Amino acid sequence: MSDVSQSVSQSVSQPEQYVVGVDFGTLSGRAVVVRVSDGAELGTAVHDYAHAVIEDRLPRELAGSDRPLPPDWALQVPDDYREVLRTAVPAAVAAAGISPDAVIGIATDFTACTMVPTLADGTPLCELEQYAGRPHAYVKLWKHHAAQGQADRINVLADERGEGWLPRYGGLISSEWEFAKGLQLFEEDRELYDAMERWVEAADWIVWQLCGRYVRNACTAGYKGILQAGRYPSPEFLEELAPGFAGFVPDKLDQEIGRLGEVAGALTAQAAAWTGLPEGIAVAVGNVDAHVTAPAAQAVGAGQMVAIMGTSTCHVMNADVLREVPGMCGVVDGGIVEGSWGYEAGQSGVGDIFGWFTKTSVPAAYAEAAAAAGESLHEHLTRLCAGQAVGEHGLVALDWHSGNRSVLVDHELSGLVVGLTLATRPEDVYRALLEATAFGTRVIVETFRDAGVPVEELVIAGGLMRNPLLMQIYADVTRLPLSIIDSEQGPALGSAIHAAVAAGAYPDVPTAAKAMGKVRTAVYVPDEARAQTYDQLYAEYLELHDHFGRHTRTMRRLKAIRRAALAAAAEREA
Amino acid sequence: MSDVSQSVSQSVSQPEQYVVGVDFGTLSGRAVVVRVSDGAELGTAVHDYAHAVIEDRLPRELAGSDRPLPPDWALQVPDDYREVLRTAVPAAVAAAGISPDAVIGIATDFTACTMVPTLADGTPLCELEQYAGRPHAYVKLWKHHAAQGQADRINVLADERGEGWLPRYGGLISSEWEFAKGLQLFEEDRELYDAMERWVEAADWIVWQLCGRYVRNACTAGYKGILQAGRYPSPEFLEELAPGFAGFVPDKLDQEIGRLGEVAGALTAQAAAWTGLPEGIAVAVGNVDAHVTAPAAQAVGAGQMVAIMGTSTCHVMNADVLREVPGMCGVVDGGIVEGSWGYEAGQSGVGDIFGWFTKTSVPAAYAEAAAAAGESLHEHLTRLCAGQAVGEHGLVALDWHSGNRSVLVDHELSGLVVGLTLATRPEDVYRALLEATAFGTRVIVETFRDAGVPVEELVIAGGLMRNPLLMQIYADVTRLPLSIIDSEQGPALGSAIHAAVAAGAYPDVPTAAKAMGKVRTAVYVPDEARAQTYDQLYAEYLELHDHFGRHTRTMRRLKAIRRAALAAAAEREA
């Protein structure tokens, strides 16, 4: 069944085939129906998670109480994901105006590392009445950052023992990942840990829900699960880390690995009933939002760094070489596409920071002016600061409001703004925050380059690609040409590409990407004059980056003081 | 005429006498009518300056054009000050319900260092048609911070030459003061400098307007004019500083000195017409808002540090000993009251920073909630953060949005907030800014203590004394008891005290202060538990203080980049 796209173009009378891609984001799931022959996106639907992100307290209607969560927690409710299958998928098919019978496969992508504690049959522990009141029974979303202490200990011990896997993760494991989050559960709710039979990436859990088989995808297993060359961290390492934790891998984690683009199983009768799709069609191995986007943007070659810019930014890039890049998220064989070394890096907060700023830090007069002009606050602030000369606002910010994922890998870091004066206006700080995230990207690009993995092009996907000022700032700050994915729903399109491959419509992902992916190249190119001034500001950013990220522990101490204050206040309350 | 207060209390039938104090602030002038016998404040009136503070461009109706000013300028219009005499003084007398004929004296206090360039007869240069379009012809307000380059050169040269006066100013002259501002005028508009016959403190200019005599008050001459033991910086020093500048002192600055509380002259017919007060009554020597407040709060003893907390904070304290306190504003013999060494320190931005924050950084929902609760935004934010445990917000800020007056003496410094997360709320940042100013005060208190001038008590005056949370934070952060002036108009009351002394109703300022001043002692006392957590946060503040204030030039470079960007943009525009 090779060369389908060619046969389709030659024979227009052949009935069209379709695939469904479903992208599970931080706040919603989006389904898209895509034509196999050319990637045309024919219908789409979005469903917002009813419980969104749980950060302050468990929902009383589920948990029976609403006791507050400690700082830095971020939970989700797994049935919110199923609801996307029940609502968004049929809605997308209806919007596409196609017959469900013409759909030959479905694939999904997910935020990661997002972890579901389950029984052996996949039932999430929070769906059991006896555990519904326990915070650790819920899904730990990628941005649950309360396991930094565990991550720190993993890093120190791995470094001391010279664990061979550590350099594959830039020398530092993130608190966001499977082992840190699992160790937090082990240490903070041992009874629940013992009751848990599987510790499952949501990316695989949703596939399990669709096809009834638990297959662990190579991508998250490698990037988030420390699986390298078929081996996890050893029982000896885990026992030394925490007595009793030695069995974590065989007891909770280990599972058959599925390669990206492979079929995981066939759609079950129940999942067919949820989605309205034909029972038995191909369900692809799970995948991650960022990673599926690379083929959606036809960016699977060496030197093409794909930046998926939304709430946070994920950077993925293929290379033929294996290099150890300090502070990268990881390098995984076949982690993005089979046959290449897939590199990943990331910025924990990007759109999140801009959103936080517009929500918390912009006065009424601006909201009124934006409304009068028919603009969102983002558009309004962007317009106000777009005409500024580089450096005019006199500010530099550190974009660590949600911690730093690369290259410092430290979620105890926090945001900073310096240069504030009584003349500083909201649009000044807004622009400084846009720039801070661009500087953060430049740190990553330069770190890759210095480690022997050069970046030649930035390929942008994600919602933030719609801000031309932001895009131009990235081009000027990084001195790289920016290409833009030509789809509003890159991850869902990328999933659809994987569905097409899993269904056998294409021989492999790169071939499918060529037929179905979409990109506009070099839409933004650097301006040398602006780039030179940005060099000066970047030097200031770097100095702050190294001072607060490497040389002092100010930010860590502030978080410790905050935790102690909150704990003492909670104790007084109790 | 000594011991008037006693004779008054013994003989109630003796007709009451009154004095008028006029306080010239940053945005308005306030007149108060005070009973000489006991300091009762009987009537008050405020007049807002029509042109407020000119920071962006000269007013077209005065200057004939509105070309933009460079960054960091702050100008005023001298006739706005006369208008206070014409409106607020008669209004206060009317409000008091007294006969103007019972007023025996008038005294004024002013912001400092605020400089008026004039002809020999006191006419401000900006009132001459040929100079009205030139920025340097206007009043340079205390917070005009564009002469930092000149201040830097003065400091370097004075240090190199070992000038004996330098340690009297903590080792650093401020860009706010007479010589730095004068040198800026000399270098940037030489023609205007040559036309200028007197370089006059507004504190003395307003007295000149009242009594027709130019007397230079000992306070600003000492603190802002570098007059020590009767001598100014030498012509040799000034010539080395800038060729041609040697004559600055005799040609522009030098003038008969008047001691505080002395009479400068008699109210002229014209000023009597303006104010409605009797011609010929005593007009006291000029003075400064902060310095007159010490007697108003009965705080003229050693160890009593008076903090006048408003837009900025001024600290004044008397001592019997002469010590060199690093980074203080200055020590002047008789600078606060005759016979004591008067010490001054300051924080360039305090209420200004809180005001800037509420104006620029608080979203509509807060404004609506405040309005619904009948609160100002300040009150609303204060209420929201008042219940927080110390350290709960996880933030530390540097309160340098308007530069640092003590102990770093550097107006190229800027504000900083660290510890920001996506959970940070406006009330968190607001509280961090309140605390930052308290930490700034603690730096000053500790610097005085370490130099052998111990502080035993903080006596608070100024508008910010009305915020109980802020007051308690200051007590907890400094571990000092806080007394509160028992008057809503401390400086004007202080001026009235000086008017009473100038009119001969009391033999000296301390005696008048005892009869007319008002204070509530130890209204706020430190809480040891909170103080201990503040010690931790203060350690973080100090580390940031020293890093950005002493060890790196990040903030200076950011301002330089900003200036270059603005200059290049202006060039492109032209």
Side-chain angles (χ1 to χ4, degrees):
Chain A
M1 188 130 180
S2 69
D3 226 359
V4 166
S5 66
Q6 203 181 5
S7 70
V8 167
S9 63
Q10 284 169 357
S11 163
V12 291
S13 65
Q14 181 175 329
E16 289 286 0
Q17 294 180 320
Y18 303 94
V19 282
V20 174
V22 192
D23 166 45
F24 289 86
T26 298
L27 293 170
S28 63
R30 167 188 296 272
V32 62
V33 175
V34 176
R35 190 158 60 204
V36 169
S37 59
D38 62 357
E41 299 162 28
L42 301 176
T44 186
V46 178
H47 177 76
D48 292 333
Y49 304 149
H51 301 90
V53 181
I54 300 166
E55 294 175 301
D56 298 325
R57 44 190 79 232
L58 290 182
R60 178 178 285 276
E61 76 277 11
L62 297 179
S65 83
D66 58 357
R67 69 177 168 119
L69 296 171
D72 305 319
W73 278 58
L75 304 179
Q76 291 199 315
V77 174
D79 198 53
D80 287 349
Y81 308 144
R82 289 195 201 97
E83 196 62 19
V84 173
L85 302 179
R86 291 187 289 251
T87 59
V89 173
V93 172
I98 61 154
S99 160
D101 294 337
V103 175
I104 63 170
I106 182 169
T108 54
D109 63 86
F110 226 102
T111 66
C113 166
T114 294
M115 298 304 295
V116 194
T118 73
L119 298 179
D121 66 356
T123 304
L125 295 187
C126 63
E127 295 184 358
L128 302 173
E129 200 186 332
Q130 68 268 38
Y131 300 131
R134 296 161 88 136
H136 278 290
Y138 288 78
V139 177
K140 287 194 171 65
L141 185 63
W142 63 272
K143 67 174 173 175
H144 174 93
H145 286 148
Q148 186 65 48
Q150 284 80 11
D152 291 345
R153 286 160 45 210
I154 292 172
N155 287 323
V156 168
L157 184 62
D159 185 50
E160 281 173 10
R161 290 174 49 107
E163 295 287 336
W165 43 265
L166 194 60
R168 294 283 175 95
Y169 301 95
L172 290 167
I173 292 301
S174 166
S175 72
E176 293 184 359
W177 298 353
E178 297 182 4
F179 279 74
K181 280 175 170 153
L183 181 56
Q184 190 199 4
L185 200 169
F186 174 80
E187 295 184 328
E188 296 183 3
D189 194 342
R190 181 60 186 270
E191 187 186 327
L192 197 82
Y193 178 86
D194 290 341
M196 172 176 84
E197 293 174 308
R198 299 279 86 189
W199 183 230
V200 188
E201 280 279 352
D204 298 323
W205 182 83
I206 199 72
V207 170
W208 195 352
Q209 298 294 303
L210 285 166
C211 71
R213 278 189 71 219
Y214 177 21
V215 178
R216 191 154 151 74
N217 77 83
C219 174
T220 52
Y223 288 110
K224 317 299 180 189
I226 322 188
L227 179 65
Q228 289 285 350
R231 288 216 302 274
Y232 290 100
S234 68
E236 295 73 30
F237 171 80
L238 297 175
E239 189 64 23
E240 192 173 339
L241 189 62
F245 198 54
F248 178 62
V249 170
D251 298 349
K252 317 288 183 187
L253 204 63
D254 198 16
Q255 188 73 18
E256 168 198 354
I257 299 295
R259 287 178 297 173
L260 305 182
E262 283 187 342
V263 66
L267 196 71
T268 64
Q270 182 176 49
W274 288 340
T275 58
L277 299 178
E279 188 180 342
I281 62 168
V283 178
V285 165
N287 211 327
V288 174
D289 45 12
H291 301 67
V292 295
T293 303
Q298 297 186 331
V300 294
Q304 296 185 291
M305 178 173 272
V306 184
I308 299 89
M309 298 178 57
T311 311
S312 63
T313 290
C314 230
H315 310 83
V316 293
M317 183 167 65
N318 285 305
D320 303 327
V321 294
L322 172 61
R323 294 283 182 272
E324 294 176 352
V325 183
M328 67 176 163
C329 298
V331 54
V332 172
D333 189 7
I336 304 168
V337 293
E338 272 294 303
S340 286
W341 289 99
Y343 290 82
E344 186 190 337
Q347 293 174 259
S348 304
V350 181
D352 249 5
I353 299 175
F354 312 150
W356 163 82
F357 183 78
T358 58
K359 206 173 70 183
T360 63
S361 309
V362 181
Y366 280 65
E368 287 156 20
E375 299 169 321
S376 72
L377 255 180
H378 286 289
E379 290 164 342
H380 186 64
L381 291 167
T382 298
R383 182 165 60 80
L384 289 179
C385 71
Q388 286 188 11
V390 175
E392 180 179 325
H393 52 50
L395 304 170
V396 173
L398 287 175
D399 51 321
W400 301 343
H401 299 61
S402 202
N404 178 293
R405 195 187 290 157
S406 303
V407 300
L408 298 167
V409 199
D410 187 348
H411 289 288
E412 293 288 282
L413 297 177
S414 54
L416 174 147
V417 183
V418 61
L420 296 165
T421 74
L422 301 178
T424 303
R425 300 159 303 175
E427 60 267 38
D428 298 329
V429 181
Y430 188 76
R431 182 169 173 130
L433 292 173
L434 300 184
E435 291 167 346
T437 68
F439 295 144
T441 294
R442 179 164 166 182
V443 170
I444 291 168
V445 166
E446 294 194 347
T447 305
F448 271 78
R449 183 198 64 199
D450 294 347
V453 190
V455 180
E456 316 285 355
E457 176 191 5
L458 281 180
V459 183
I460 310 293
L464 295 180
M465 69 186 182
R466 287 191 288 273
N467 184 328
L469 173 66
L470 184 68
M471 294 299 99
Q472 188 60 54
I473 289 172
Y474 272 61
D476 293 338
V477 165
T478 63
R479 276 202 180 79
L480 288 173
L482 255 63
S483 301
I484 307 285
I485 191 171
D486 198 14
S487 164
E488 290 289 313
Q489 38 223 356
L493 173 60
S495 280
I497 288 172
H498 284 80
V501 174
Y506 292 97
D508 54 40
V509 171
T511 306
K514 207 170 166 189
M516 298 172 71
K518 299 158 197 166
V519 69
R520 292 179 294 138
T521 53
V523 179
Y524 300 92
V525 293
D527 172 87
E528 181 54 27
R530 286 194 298 263
Q532 284 182 12
T533 310
Y534 273 132
D535 284 344
Q536 295 177 47
L537 290 172
Y538 179 66
E540 302 302 333
Y541 177 90
L542 262 193
E543 196 176 300
L544 294 168
H545 177 281
D546 288 351
H547 180 74
F548 287 99
R550 303 189 201 271
H551 305 321
T552 74
R553 296 178 65 83
T554 310
M555 291 172 174
R556 287 189 161 240
R557 286 192 301 261
L558 284 177
K559 288 217 172 176
I561 293 170
R562 168 169 156 83
R563 282 194 198 98
L566 286 170
E571 204 167 287
R572 276 196 302 277
E573 231 177 83
Chain B
M1 192 132 177
S2 69
D3 227 359
V4 167
S5 66
Q6 202 181 7
S7 70
V8 166
S9 65
Q10 285 169 356
S11 162
V12 290
S13 65
Q14 179 173 332
E16 288 286 358
Q17 294 181 319
Y18 304 94
V19 281
V20 174
V22 191
D23 167 45
F24 289 87
T26 298
L27 293 170
S28 63
R30 168 187 295 271
V32 62
V33 175
V34 176
R35 189 159 57 206
V36 168
S37 60
D38 61 358
E41 299 160 28
L42 301 175
T44 185
V46 178
H47 177 75
D48 292 333
Y49 303 149
H51 301 91
V53 181
I54 300 167
E55 293 173 303
D56 299 326
R57 43 191 78 233
L58 290 182
R60 177 178 284 277
E61 76 277 12
L62 295 180
S65 83
D66 58 357
R67 68 179 168 121
L69 296 171
D72 305 320
W73 279 58
L75 304 179
Q76 291 199 316
V77 175
D79 198 52
D80 287 350
Y81 308 144
R82 289 194 200 97
E83 194 62 19
V84 172
L85 302 179
R86 291 188 286 251
T87 58
V89 173
V93 171
I98 61 154
S99 161
D101 294 338
V103 175
I104 61 169
I106 182 169
T108 54
D109 63 86
F110 226 102
T111 67
C113 166
T114 293
M115 298 304 295
V116 194
T118 73
L119 297 179
D121 66 356
T123 304
L125 295 188
C126 64
E127 295 184 358
L128 302 173
E129 202 186 331
Q130 67 268 41
Y131 299 131
R134 297 162 89 134
H136 278 291
Y138 287 78
V139 176
K140 287 195 171 64
L141 185 63
W142 62 274
K143 66 174 173 174
H144 174 92
H145 286 148
Q148 187 64 48
Q150 283 79 12
D152 291 345
R153 286 160 45 209
I154 292 172
N155 287 324
V156 168
L157 184 63
D159 186 50
E160 280 173 11
R161 291 173 49 108
E163 295 287 336
W165 42 264
L166 194 60
R168 294 282 174 96
Y169 301 94
L172 290 167
I173 292 301
S174 167
S175 71
E176 293 183 359
W177 298 351
E178 296 181 5
F179 279 73
K181 280 175 170 154
L183 181 56
Q184 189 199 4
L185 201 168
F186 174 79
E187 295 184 330
E188 296 184 3
D189 194 342
R190 181 60 187 271
E191 187 186 328
L192 197 82
Y193 178 85
D194 290 341
M196 173 175 85
E197 294 175 307
R198 299 280 88 192
W199 184 229
V200 188
E201 280 278 353
D204 298 323
W205 182 84
I206 199 72
V207 170
W208 195 350
Q209 298 295 303
L210 285 167
C211 70
R213 279 189 71 219
Y214 177 21
V215 178
R216 192 153 151 74
N217 77 83
C219 175
T220 53
Y223 289 110
K224 318 299 181 189
I226 323 188
L227 178 66
Q228 289 284 351
R231 286 217 301 274
Y232 290 100
S234 67
E236 296 72 30
F237 171 79
L238 296 176
E239 189 64 22
E240 190 173 340
L241 188 62
F245 198 54
F248 178 62
V249 168
D251 297 348
K252 317 287 183 187
L253 203 66
D254 199 16
Q255 187 72 18
E256 167 198 356
I257 300 294
R259 286 179 296 172
L260 304 182
E262 282 187 344
V263 66
L267 196 71
T268 63
Q270 181 176 50
W274 288 340
T275 58
L277 299 178
E279 188 180 341
I281 62 169
V283 177
V285 165
N287 210 327
V288 174
D289 44 12
H291 301 68
V292 294
T293 304
Q298 297 186 331
V300 293
Q304 294 186 294
M305 179 175 272
V306 183
I308 298 91
M309 298 179 58
T311 312
S312 63
T313 290
C314 230
H315 310 84
V316 293
M317 184 167 66
N318 286 304
D320 302 327
V321 293
L322 171 62
R323 293 282 182 273
E324 294 176 352
V325 183
M328 67 176 164
C329 298
V331 54
V332 171
D333 189 6
I336 304 169
V337 294
E338 272 294 303
S340 286
W341 288 99
Y343 291 81
E344 186 190 337
Q347 294 174 259
S348 304
V350 182
D352 248 4
I353 300 177
F354 313 150
W356 163 82
F357 182 78
T358 58
K359 205 173 71 183
T360 64
S361 309
V362 181
Y366 281 65
E368 287 156 20
E375 298 169 321
S376 72
L377 255 180
H378 285 289
E379 290 164 342
H380 186 64
L381 290 167
T382 297
R383 183 165 58 81
L384 288 179
C385 70
Q388 286 189 10
V390 175
E392 181 178 325
H393 51 51
L395 304 170
V396 173
L398 287 176
D399 52 321
W400 301 342
H401 298 63
S402 202
N404 178 294
R405 195 186 292 156
S406 304
V407 299
L408 299 168
V409 198
D410 186 348
H411 289 289
E412 292 288 283
L413 297 176
S414 54
L416 174 147
V417 184
V418 61
L420 297 165
T421 75
L422 300 179
T424 302
R425 300 159 303 177
E427 59 268 37
D428 298 329
V429 181
Y430 187 76
R431 183 170 173 129
L433 292 173
L434 300 184
E435 291 167 348
T437 67
F439 296 143
T441 294
R442 180 164 165 183
V443 170
I444 291 168
V445 166
E446 294 194 347
T447 306
F448 271 78
R449 183 199 63 200
D450 295 347
V453 191
V455 180
E456 316 286 354
E457 176 191 5
L458 281 180
V459 182
I460 310 293
L464 295 179
M465 70 186 181
R466 286 190 289 271
N467 183 326
L469 173 66
L470 183 69
M471 293 298 100
Q472 188 60 54
I473 288 172
Y474 271 61
D476 293 339
V477 165
T478 62
R479 277 203 180 79
L480 287 173
L482 255 62
S483 300
I484 307 285
I485 190 171
D486 200 13
S487 165
E488 290 290 312
Q489 39 224 355
L493 173 60
S495 279
I497 288 172
H498 284 79
V501 175
Y506 292 97
D508 53 41
V509 171
T511 307
K514 206 169 167 191
M516 297 173 71
K518 301 158 197 167
V519 69
R520 293 179 294 137
T521 53
V523 179
Y524 300 92
V525 293
D527 172 86
E528 181 54 26
R530 286 195 298 264
Q532 284 182 13
T533 309
Y534 273 132
D535 284 344
Q536 295 176 47
L537 290 172
Y538 180 66
E540 302 301 334
Y541 177 91
L542 261 194
E543 198 177 297
L544 294 168
H545 177 280
D546 288 350
H547 180 73
F548 286 99
R550 302 188 200 272
H551 304 323
T552 75
R553 296 177 65 85
T554 309
M555 291 171 172
R556 287 189 161 239
R557 286 192 302 260
L558 284 177
K559 289 217 171 174
I561 292 170
R562 168 168 155 82
R563 281 194 199 101
L566 286 170
E571 206 167 287
R572 276 196 302 278
E573 230 178 85

